[in-house]
Amino acid sequence: KNQVEQSPQSLIILEGKNCTLQCNYTVSPFSNLRWYKQDTGRGPVSLTIMTFSENTKSNGRYTATLDADTKQSSLHITASQLSDSASYICVVSEFGTGANNLFFGTGTRLTVIP
Amino acid sequence: KAGVTQTPRYLIKTRGQQVTLSCSPISGHRSVSWYQQTPGQGLQFLFEYFSETQRNKGNFPGRFSGRQFSNSRSEMNVSTLELGDSALYLCASRPSAGGTEAFFGQGTRLTVV
């Protein structure tokens, strides 16, 4: 069964600190993995996309890693800011063209406090 | 380019009523999909429309239905509302049926009382 699991469910960190969010998946055949950021009351916005051959990809203070062998991904946030407070959702795509080929994690709720 | 627009942003309905939500995709995008988001479940796929045809459907009861118009705008209808239907309903558009990046609207917050 295709599944995406994220940990932790929630996280509170001090402004300026780093943190790492985890995503484990069982989706097969794997196409790509995206991390989305969802601010409260808004729709998710894509941060990064990782394909099978990519290990690391950065987007500013966000760095995503992918280990396709162990089917694990992480999102590392450096020097956190208050605006990083949001839910982060891992989405794994299975090969195929339908929206039902996208599998969503339940997200990690990050709160950055001053 | 305007983003995905969902209306209304907030709705309060009573049990047994029906509701229609609207989604206008990004110009040129032909695929529109709908999701239900609740705190414990995350995003649950409802259905996807492409060129006015439903391509895929998630595991939701028949009370949830949708349609897509020739201009790619989509509507979602929920009949005989239940308390458990309270959720954030998100619409996402993709350039084509094969595009993997889904561009989300801001959602419609539905509260059933």
Side-chain angles (χ1 to χ4, degrees):
Chain A
K1 183 181 177 185
N2 290 320
Q3 284 186 309
V4 178
E5 294 184 353
Q6 293 186 243
S7 62
Q9 273 191 323
S10 61
L11 185 60
I12 301 174
I13 62 172
L14 289 173
E15 186 179 11
K17 297 296 186 182
N18 305 334
C19 67
T20 300
L21 315 180
Q22 300 289 344
C23 173
N24 296 337
Y25 62 92
T26 59
V27 177
S28 181
F30 173 86
S31 176
N32 60 64
L33 183 149
R34 287 184 185 272
W35 283 93
Y36 280 83
K37 178 186 179 188
Q38 184 177 21
D39 293 313
T40 302
R42 312 283 292 242
V45 175
S46 179
L47 290 172
T48 66
I49 177 173
M50 311 272 306
T51 57
F52 186 87
S53 58
E54 295 173 307
N55 302 115
T56 305
K57 185 169 283 188
S58 292
N59 177 2
R61 294 180 296 102
Y62 300 102
T63 299
T65 66
L66 174 66
D67 185 332
D69 291 330
T70 61
K71 298 187 177 180
Q72 296 180 324
S73 176
S74 65
L75 181 69
H76 185 75
I77 303 175
T78 304
S80 61
Q81 300 177 357
L82 298 179
S83 60
D84 293 330
S85 294
S87 288
Y88 292 84
I89 302 170
C90 175
V91 183
V92 183
S93 296
E94 179 189 39
F95 268 113
T97 58
N100 60 332
N101 296 118
L102 304 178
F103 297 89
F104 292 79
T106 54
T108 292
R109 177 71 204 172
L110 174 65
T111 303
V112 181
I113 58 176
Chain B
K1 211 181 220 184
V4 178
T5 303
Q6 290 188 247
T7 57
R9 289 292 312 278
Y10 303 94
L11 265 180
I12 299 176
K13 292 284 189 178
T14 56
R15 277 182 298 175
Q17 285 188 309
Q18 76 161 22
V19 66
T20 299
L21 312 182
S22 179
C23 172
S24 293
I26 292 172
S27 178
H29 286 196
R30 295 166 62 191
S31 167
V32 174
S33 47
W34 288 89
Y35 299 86
Q36 181 193 67
Q37 186 178 35
T38 54
Q41 297 292 316
L43 277 88
Q44 303 291 312
F45 171 68
L46 281 155
F47 30 65
E48 178 188 18
Y49 286 88
F50 182 79
S51 294
E52 301 179 65
T53 301
Q54 188 180 86
R55 291 188 75 242
N56 299 289
K57 190 175 190 302
N59 297 321
F60 279 81
R63 301 184 296 107
F64 292 82
S65 63
R67 59 179 175 168
Q68 187 180 36
F69 302 95
S70 58
N71 61 358
S72 293
R73 188 178 71 86
S74 177
E75 287 182 347
M76 188 190 91
N77 185 273
V78 188
S79 62
T80 319
L81 284 166
E82 301 176 359
L83 295 179
D85 296 334
S86 296
L88 179 68
Y89 289 88
L90 288 163
C91 161
S93 76
R94 297 187 294 162
S96 64
T100 59
E101 181 172 4
F103 295 84
F104 287 87
Q106 299 205 51
T108 294
R109 171 71 64 186
L110 172 64
T111 302
V112 182
V113 298

